[in-house]
Amino acid sequence: MAAQAHPNLQNSYPVQLLIKGRRALVVGAGNVANRKIQGLLSAGAEVTVIAPDIHPHVAQLAVDIIERPYQTGEAANYQLVITCTDDRHVNRQVFRDAEANGVWVNSADDPVNCSFILPAVARQGDLTLTISTNGQSPAMAMWLRRKFEAEFDERYDRLMDLLIEVRAEARYVLGTSEVSGWNEALDDGLFDLVAQGQIDTARQKLRRNLGLAAQDEAVLA
């Protein structure tokens, strides 16, 4: 039988959480929990794991381990909670505890017991692409993530570096980077120039589109 969908997922609000130094709880310690824990640790969270049985891979991670079943009310002690159990009753109890205390909670493969969902993530340097199916098909999200990961390479890093550089100049010269011209430059072969190693040409094109070249000419006039 298909998992019941959460009624509010169509109205979800995508965000990226800054959780470095924040306390996170993972209930469960199997293979799925291992993946979730790795993500939390990569983001700098302080992770506690509660489970009666601990997978050897989880035991080797830099987490606090409490080797017993979850106890009612414990979710209130954390700022973020993820449950990774096969027991819907445990998931529901964790969800209720979290909801009662204003704590965000995700239950793996159990959207009804979630107050947030985790998208599939593809990364290349500072570029992060998240893919969500509103919790309806994790397989689809993961498949799309693999497709995008195959596309991302150092060309995107070089493009990001250029955009960051020129954005800083725009904010300094124009007082803001919220100006027209970004999309036009990107749609007009900017990526191809960067991919071909023509960084200076790409920079000139971008500066022209943003009006920075005109500022240079005004100063020289």
Side-chain angles (χ1 to χ4, degrees):
M1 184 174 64
Q4 184 179 356
H6 195 293
N8 295 325
L9 284 177
Q10 293 296 328
N11 300 317
S12 62
Y13 185 65
V15 298
Q16 286 184 275
L17 297 178
L18 306 178
I19 61 173
K20 183 176 181 180
R22 297 182 183 274
R23 301 185 69 213
L25 171 65
V26 176
V27 181
N31 285 321
V32 174
N34 182 41
R35 294 196 299 271
K36 306 298 185 183
I37 294 165
Q38 298 272 11
L40 291 170
L41 291 175
S42 296
E46 297 178 0
V47 181
T48 297
V49 177
I50 296 178
D53 300 299
I54 308 297
H55 191 285
H57 290 163
V58 173
Q60 297 173 8
L61 299 176
V63 299
D64 292 328
I65 293 176
I66 302 175
E67 195 167 350
R68 59 160 170 74
Y70 173 82
Q71 295 179 356
T72 300
E74 288 185 292
N77 300 319
Y78 301 87
Q79 294 170 287
L80 191 75
V81 177
I82 297 178
T83 61
C84 305
T85 79
D86 295 328
D87 189 330
R88 295 293 172 88
H89 296 292
V90 172
N91 294 350
R92 190 61 182 170
Q93 186 60 59
V94 175
F95 176 75
R96 286 173 174 166
D97 293 343
E99 284 283 277
N101 291 278
V103 178
W104 293 98
V105 59
N106 172 269
S107 298
D109 200 29
D110 190 3
V112 172
N113 290 313
C114 292
S115 57
F116 75 95
I117 56 176
L118 292 169
V121 179
R123 299 182 189 273
Q124 175 62 42
D126 285 325
L127 180 61
T128 301
L129 179 67
T130 60
I131 305 156
S132 173
T133 60
N134 282 335
Q136 299 304 294
S137 178
M140 178 71 170
M142 296 296 287
W143 177 72
L144 287 171
R145 187 204 73 182
R146 291 195 301 271
K147 288 178 68 68
F148 284 115
E149 280 183 333
E151 167 70 12
F152 289 161
D153 55 30
E154 68 280 355
R155 297 173 301 168
Y156 289 86
D157 279 337
R158 294 198 294 267
L159 178 60
M160 278 284 292
D161 288 342
L162 175 61
L163 293 172
I164 291 168
E165 171 197 328
V166 177
R167 181 184 183 222
E169 181 185 0
R171 294 176 70 179
Y172 178 77
V173 174
L174 304 175
T176 179
S177 62
E178 298 296 323
V179 296
S180 60
W182 293 100
N183 290 338
E184 291 80 1
L186 286 163
D187 290 339
D188 190 28
L190 191 68
F191 175 76
D192 292 334
L193 289 172
V194 170
Q196 295 162 12
Q198 300 182 51
I199 305 298
D200 288 338
T201 302
R203 182 182 294 106
Q204 293 167 16
K205 173 188 282 289
L206 182 56
R207 294 183 78 253
R208 282 197 304 272
N209 278 74
L210 299 180
L212 290 170
Q215 292 287 325
D216 292 344
E217 294 171 2
V219 170
L220 294 173

